[in-house]
Amino acid sequence: MENKTKDAGTAKIEIDGKTYDMPVLSGTHGPNVVDVRKFYAQSGQFTFDPGFTSTASCESQITFINGEEGVLLHRGYPIGQLAAQATFPEVCYLILNGELPSKSELSTFNDEIKQHTLLHTQLDRFFDGFRRDSHPMAMLTGTVGAMASFYPGAMDSEDPEERRLASIRLIAKMPTLCARILKYNLGQKFVDPRNDLSYAENFLNMCFSVTAEDYKVDPKIAKAMDRFFILHADHEQNASTSTVRLAGSSGAHPFAAVAAGVACLWGPSHGGANEACLNMLHEIGTVDRIPEFIEKAKDKSDPFRLMGFGHRVYKNYDPRATVMRESAHEVLDLLGLKDQPILKVAMELERIALEDEYFAEKKLYPNVDFYSGIILDAIGFPKQMFTVLFSLARTVGWIAQLNEMLVDPTQRIGRPRQIYTGAAMRDYVPMDQR
Ligand code: ACO
């Protein structure tokens, strides 16, 4: 990767009468950054930023977010345009390679993905070790990590062909793995991939086809699935992506680094939010109970939060939520579920929260998870599978970001520092004197 930051001046940090000059760098879009890489060497002091709210951890050319204005771009293209006009494999190609594919490039890419959808049969035996009622994310974390054992060549991250192959394998095998996780939970036979179907159709078929009856993939449902994948494909340096980069920065196997990303995505503050949001909508149940839940969310002594609202970066409408909202209406219309009370609750909750002073003042808008759970539920996925579907979609972002890091000449092993506030140095006390 060619580093492209530009010189944008100097920042002065003054401590105890001494001034330290730090370079300021600019990128294509977004705020400038103060380059503090040499700050410790020069001053003997660290910067302190738990949660990284003011820290850029890397230079990246993949995704840009302007949270104040609700903008999300992949390689410069707005997410709304990609969701409306592109397919998920096309977006994968774009994210991995930097440019939209030509017709023949896309066809070659699709063909190559299809050549790698099968799992090693040995991998199926891992499932026997899991309880039938295991959380799907526990199985995904374990099996993605286990896949590393089948592709030892991918450890050679210096080799561009190994990096490319690892990316294709991950994107191709994730749907097969995720569908097997669902089938294992259901106690049904695994369904193998079919190369005559599109990426989204094949995934739906592996999830919902049973030996007694073929699953007829509705093109509109396949489109909604494909759009869900596009909307979750990448999101710059979020917690799971930063985890993948950090794990990979030691030279770890790419499948193991992605398994670390899966583990991070599991939590309810990140990928687990759509499951939590759907639970909350069911708990609210009817429109007349919404005010009670809004009050709970505002009450500082109550830990309850309105799931699907708020975002670390977006302080405006999450642009993915706008597309997801449309998709939810389309899917429920198609399945004849549009009068479902849950959709009414969601729409009314959104309206009331957007008008409420507390949410307006804190800039808490619906995020992508607010509507995605409704769609996935309507398609027929159990709630526990929602974060697995998010992982499937985010795999391309994780591997693209990892590959970008591996070829960044400024890359070093990630090693944050700390401010220590524990016990001061003291002498060991022998057991009989304590
Ligand atoms: N409901 C009620 N109040 C909220 C909510 C919410 N959903 N989100 C934030 N707030 C309040 C906080 O209580 C806090 O109030 P205070 O300043 O009076 O203390 C203020 O808004 C800021 O909140 P933080 O937690 O500091 O914001 P942060 O950026 O750390 O958190 C997060 C972002 C985790 C997404 C948070 O908004 C949240 O918990 N939302 C619900 C979970 C959710 O939907 N997560 C999905 C994220 S999107 C994704 O991962 C794809």
Side-chain angles (χ1 to χ4, degrees):
M1 169 187 158
E2 186 196 342
N3 294 121
K4 289 188 176 163
T5 53
K6 293 201 184 77
D7 188 0
T10 307
K12 293 188 183 306
I13 302 179
E14 195 185 308
I15 303 171
D16 293 337
K18 244 187 126 182
T19 305
Y20 303 93
D21 285 347
M22 297 291 133
V24 177
L25 306 174
S26 69
T28 316
H29 295 305
N32 289 350
V33 300
V34 180
D35 178 355
V36 293
R37 276 176 287 186
K38 298 206 171 110
F39 183 60
Y40 175 59
Q42 289 177 12
S43 73
Q45 299 180 67
F46 296 136
T47 56
F48 181 55
D49 187 17
F52 303 108
T53 46
S54 299
T55 298
S57 61
C58 61
E59 178 183 335
S60 181
Q61 294 160 11
I62 301 174
T63 292
F64 172 73
I65 300 173
N66 179 337
E68 304 303 322
E69 289 177 15
V71 172
L72 168 61
L73 311 175
H74 293 317
R75 303 287 192 180
Y77 296 102
I79 189 66
Q81 292 180 21
L82 293 173
Q85 296 173 65
T87 60
F88 180 63
E90 200 178 338
V91 172
C92 289
Y93 183 99
L94 172 71
I95 288 176
L96 287 173
N97 300 299
E99 296 297 336
L100 287 168
S102 66
K103 209 171 170 190
S104 72
E105 283 167 338
L106 182 59
S107 157
T108 310
F109 183 72
N110 269 321
D111 286 348
E112 200 175 6
I113 297 272
K114 286 178 182 174
Q115 291 312 306
H116 288 280
T117 48
L118 290 175
L119 300 178
H120 195 293
T121 50
Q122 198 70 14
L123 198 76
D124 283 349
R125 298 184 60 187
F126 274 89
F127 284 96
D128 293 337
F130 292 116
R131 285 169 53 139
R132 276 281 168 198
D133 60 354
S134 298
H135 194 288
M137 284 301 279
M139 289 195 270
L140 190 64
T141 315
T143 48
V144 171
M147 273 204 293
S149 66
F150 295 91
Y151 308 104
M155 266 310 267
D156 185 3
S157 60
E158 301 271 298
D159 182 344
E161 181 50 22
E162 286 293 352
R163 288 198 303 272
R164 200 189 65 82
L165 205 52
S167 314
I168 296 282
R169 282 194 169 123
L170 271 161
I171 294 167
K173 291 178 196 306
M174 272 302 243
T176 317
L177 195 57
C178 295
R180 273 164 156 66
I181 287 171
L182 173 65
K183 289 296 194 191
Y184 187 76
N185 271 162
L186 294 173
Q188 293 177 4
K189 256 188 146 170
F190 295 152
V191 177
D192 283 326
R194 269 181 44 192
N195 283 0
D196 58 320
L197 300 176
S198 73
Y199 190 90
E201 286 168 345
N202 174 48
F203 177 61
L204 289 167
N205 187 62
M206 288 189 291
C207 288
F208 298 118
S209 189
V210 287
T211 37
E213 199 173 68
D214 270 347
Y215 172 73
K216 299 239 174 338
V217 186
D218 188 309
K220 287 196 178 144
I221 298 291
K223 179 77 206 145
M225 193 75 252
D226 194 74
R227 204 177 285 159
F228 172 90
F229 293 153
I230 293 176
L231 293 175
H232 289 82
D234 190 46
H235 212 229
E236 55 119 301
Q237 308 313 317
N238 56 84
S240 58
T241 303
S242 299
T243 302
V244 171
R245 279 185 177 256
L246 195 57
S249 75
S250 70
H253 192 290
F255 286 65
V258 167
V262 173
C264 178
L265 192 72
W266 190 350
S269 297
H270 194 5
N274 55 7
E275 179 182 343
C277 182
L278 191 72
N279 284 337
M280 178 193 76
L281 293 175
H282 279 298
E283 195 190 340
I284 298 176
T286 48
V287 166
D288 58 301
R289 295 191 63 206
I290 293 174
E292 180 193 324
F293 281 82
I294 297 262
E295 283 320 304
K296 261 165 81 69
K298 287 164 34 176
D299 180 357
K300 284 278 147 234
S301 58
D302 190 326
F304 174 79
R305 282 186 170 200
L306 270 194
M307 299 315 285
F309 275 79
H311 196 276
R312 171 59 65 78
V313 180
Y314 292 119
K315 300 302 169 199
N316 198 323
Y317 221 96
D318 179 340
R320 301 167 301 172
T322 321
V323 185
M324 207 59 102
R325 187 181 201 269
E326 275 171 33
S327 233
H329 282 279
E330 271 170 34
V331 169
L332 295 190
D333 262 355
L334 182 75
L335 299 173
L337 300 169
K338 75 174 187 311
D339 293 328
Q340 262 206 344
I342 193 156
L343 187 64
K344 290 205 177 97
V345 171
M347 281 165 49
E348 188 61 5
L349 180 63
E350 183 183 358
R351 192 189 64 75
I352 295 177
L354 287 176
E355 283 172 2
D356 192 285
E357 211 177 294
Y358 172 93
F359 287 86
E361 186 199 307
K362 295 191 186 305
K363 300 191 172 161
L364 297 170
Y365 292 88
N367 60 45
V368 66
D369 293 322
F370 189 66
Y371 278 105
S372 65
I374 297 177
I375 298 176
L376 299 177
D377 181 53
I379 294 177
F381 288 105
K383 278 180 287 183
Q384 288 201 328
M385 275 295 288
F386 291 178
T387 320
V388 168
L389 303 175
F390 188 163
S391 308
L392 190 173
R394 183 54 58 84
T395 297
V396 62
W398 287 331
I399 193 71
Q401 299 267 354
L402 178 63
N403 286 342
E404 181 179 61
M405 183 198 72
L406 292 170
V407 294
D408 182 343
T410 61
Q411 189 262 329
R412 302 172 71 185
I413 185 168
R415 177 47 168 104
R417 303 304 295 259
Q418 62 169 12
I419 175 165
Y420 175 71
T421 54
M425 190 159 90
R426 48 188 167 162
D427 289 326
Y428 177 78
V429 182
M431 189 72 79
D432 58 354
Q433 290 169 34
R434 284 179 221 164

